[in-house]
């Protein structure tokens, strides 16, 4: 924004003036998007390394991948997939509402997107990482019904967690402590699993922060039909996170 | 709705200067189309899960594993369709300056080259390194997993006594590895030998992978046959008692 007239009562987005080095505002918008797509290519290559490791090690050690995948619950992965897809929709539709000037509906959808991201990360940490790493289950975890609780260990964290003896220790590399693994390359599988999903979860958290920033700025009237570059860019980031998960989910949870 | 079907990109007038002023021309993808895409994506998610279940069912019917590529092709083709939908509609590549799509296409091409060449190297090593046959211990040592298993068994024995501890260990082993029908099928042949039989660093050198115990015997017999050895008996313990 270049000049702001203090007597001007129009919302901020109506007063937006594009940078003077662009011929038109549309050109500025396209330039911003082009730059962000270039950034997204680096993201694709970042995850590409992980997918490459997955492909090579799966070819070399199919037994470990088969056994490791059988220890993951596709239902949690499936729910998380649906959560991310729905959040992608609300993100896209919030851009539409900004474009047609319905700012409060757009903010509602943005907040819903953030909550979906929070749900995704919570499910991952609470139902997947914590039990697999430590053997402690959240007391409402449906999977707890399949196991006998280790009563001697007591209840962790104000009774919120229950311990299952021998379940934990499914950790990457040299941290591997699981007592019932069969394939010698199980630590490698867990390395790929944790690196892939945790870097993805980190992206979900970053995306939530970006969308929250957009939500705040939209509340101040920064975005509207005339100017919504920030919303569009945050949306692109969020969709990429979704895109990565579309591949991670079948590769990790559904192989056998 | 006037914006229901956004116009395609016009190369001769990329910023639509002839029509509108500032921002009008940018694609506005309506909620109906977005909802349609969402439903399609959710359906494909369901389909990919269903495909995996059907595979397990078919494997049960024919009593053996399907070719490895069925699993990969099924999951990946659906994922590719889903990702194309997300990129085309949600990320608006369909209505954008085509430069963005070209950039993305080149990125995926680069990624494919990266993965294929890594594969050519790592997956072809068993053939290239055939001359190293005598220096490599087939299939690795299985040390990490077997040590953890032994340690946990010892812990159980220590805590519950010899027989009860062993029983407890086997009970937990069953609970974690065979409790579900799907995973009950998985450990079939899923021993430390599974990786070596099919591929692996020295896989191509062995027509039939040796079982775990056979390594020591094979090695002892091999040494016993060396011309410099004095003892002609094949007693493996004899080697240690012999002096130089």
């Amino acid at each position: 924004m270049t000049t702001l007239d203090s007597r001007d009562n129009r919302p901020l987005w109506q007063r937006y003036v594009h940078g003077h080095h662009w011929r038109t505002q549309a050109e500025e918008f396209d330039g911003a998007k082009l730059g962000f797509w270039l950034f997204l290519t680096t993201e694709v290559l970042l995850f590409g390394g992980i997918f490459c490791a997955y492909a090579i090690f799966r070819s070399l050690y199919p037994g470990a991948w088969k056994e490791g995948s059988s220890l993951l619950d596709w239902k949690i992965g499936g729910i998380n997939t649906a959560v991310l897809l729905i959040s992608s929709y609300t993100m896209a539709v919030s851009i539409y509402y900004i474009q047609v000037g319905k700012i409060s509906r757009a903010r509602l959808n943005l907040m819903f997107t953030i909550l979906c991201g929070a749900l995704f990360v919570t499910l991952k940490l609470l139902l997947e990482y914590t039990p697999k790493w430590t053997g402690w289950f959240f007391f409402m975890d449906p999977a707890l019904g399949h196991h006998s609780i280790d009563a001697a260990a007591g209840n962790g964290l104000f009774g919120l967690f229950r311990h299952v003896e021998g379940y934990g220790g499914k950790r990457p590399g040299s941290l591997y402590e699981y007592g019932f693994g069969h394939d010698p390359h199980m630590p490698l599988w867990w390395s790929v699993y944790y690196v892939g999903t945790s870097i993805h979860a980190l992206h979900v958290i970053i995306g939530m922060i970006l969308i929250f920033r957009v939500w705040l700025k939209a509340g101040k009237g920064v975005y509207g039909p005339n100017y919504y570059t920030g919303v569009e860019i945050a949306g692109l980031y969020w969709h990429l996170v979704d895109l990565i998960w579309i591949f991670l989910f079948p590769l990790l949870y559904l192989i056998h | 709705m006037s914006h229901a079907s956004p116009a395609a990109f016009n190369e001769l007038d990329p910023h639509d200067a002839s029509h509108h002023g500032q921002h009008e021309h940018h694609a506005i993808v309506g909620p109906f189309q977005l909802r349609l895409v969402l439903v399609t994506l959710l359906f494909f998610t369901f389909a990919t899960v269903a495909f995996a279940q059907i595979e397990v069912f078919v494997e049960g019917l024919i009593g053996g594993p399907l070719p490895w590529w069925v699993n990969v092709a099924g999951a990946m083709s659906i994922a590719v369709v889903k990702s194309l939908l997300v990129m085309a509609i949600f990320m608006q590549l369909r209505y954008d300056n085509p430069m963005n799509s070209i950039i993305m296409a080149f990125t995926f091409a680069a990624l494919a080259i990266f993965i294929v060449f890594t594969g050519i190297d790592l997956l072809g090593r068993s053939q290239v390194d055939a001359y190293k046959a005598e220096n490599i211990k087939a299939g690795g040592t299985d040390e990490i997993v077997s040590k953890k298993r032994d340690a946990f068994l010892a812990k159980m024995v220590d805590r519950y006594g010899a027989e009860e501890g062993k029983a407890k260990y086997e009970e937990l082993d069953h609970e974690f590895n065979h409790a579900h029908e799907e995973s009950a099928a998985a450990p079939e042949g899923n021993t430390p030998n599974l990786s070596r039989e099919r591929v692996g660093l020295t896989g191509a050198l062995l027509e039939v992978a040796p079982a775990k115990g056979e390594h020591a015997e094979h090695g002892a017999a091999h040494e016993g046959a060396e011309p410099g050895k004095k003892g002609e008996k094949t007693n493996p313990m004899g080697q240690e008692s012999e002096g130089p």
Side-chain angles (χ1 to χ4, degrees), chain A residues 168-191:
Chain A
K170 293 166 189 143
R171 300 174 201 158
S174 59
L175 299 170
Y176 184 82
E177 284 292 336
Y178 185 54
F180 303 99
H182 289 283
D183 195 285
H185 299 291
M186 282 294 275
L188 194 59
W189 153 265
W190 290 113
S191 297

Side-chain angles (χ1 to χ4, degrees), chain B residues 173-191:
Chain B
D173 189 16
H174 176 80
E175 180 178 333
F176 294 139
N177 286 313
H178 310 279
H180 303 281
E181 309 79 56
E182 299 98 314
S183 50
E188 180 64 35
N190 196 6
T191 65

Side-chain angles (χ1 to χ4, degrees), chain B residues 110-204:
Chain B
L111 183 58
I113 291 171
F114 170 49
I115 292 178
V116 166
F117 271 75
T118 315
I120 287 174
D121 173 13
L122 285 168
L123 303 181
R125 286 191 178 185
S126 59
Q127 287 130 40
V128 175
D129 286 345
Y131 67 92
K132 290 181 180 172
E134 294 183 7
N135 301 328
I136 294 175
K137 187 171 181 183
T141 57
D142 181 23
E143 261 186 5
I144 304 172
V145 168
S146 57
K147 274 183 184 169
K148 304 292 182 194
R149 290 177 67 89
D150 295 346
F152 196 81
L153 177 60
K155 187 180 158 192
M156 291 288 99
V157 168
D158 190 39
R159 184 177 297 174
Y160 298 102
E163 284 188 12
E164 204 183 325
K166 184 96 179 357
K168 178 85 176 165
Y169 175 86
E170 274 161 10
E171 178 197 325
L172 288 175
D173 189 16
H174 176 80
E175 180 178 333
F176 294 139
N177 286 313
H178 310 279
H180 303 281
E181 309 79 56
E182 299 98 314
S183 50
E188 180 64 35
N190 196 6
T191 65
N193 282 328
L194 188 66
S195 304
R196 330 174 179 174
E197 283 178 34
R198 300 174 62 179
V199 278
L201 289 179
T202 56

Side-chain angles (χ1 to χ4, degrees), chain A residues 25-26 29-30 33 41 58-60 67 85 89 99 147 165 176-178 180-181 183 226 228 255, chain B residues 15 22-23 25-27 35 45 52 71 96 100 103 107 111 145 148-149 156 159 175-177 190 199:
Chain A
Q25 191 172 324
F29 178 77
D30 279 354
K33 269 184 109 170
T41 62
R58 179 177 169 180
S59 306
L60 285 174
E67 186 184 350
L85 289 176
Y89 161 75
Q99 283 171 329
H147 304 298
E165 190 168 33
Y176 184 82
E177 284 292 336
Y178 185 54
F180 303 99
D183 195 285
N226 186 40
Y228 50 87
I255 63 167
Chain B
H15 298 119
Q22 295 272 295
H23 222 290
H25 76 285
H26 275 124
R35 256 168 242 158
T45 305
N71 191 215
D96 247 359
N100 295 342
I103 288 172
T107 306
L111 183 58
V145 168
K148 304 292 182 194
R149 290 177 67 89
M156 291 288 99
R159 184 177 297 174
E175 180 178 333
F176 294 139
N177 286 313
N190 196 6
V199 278

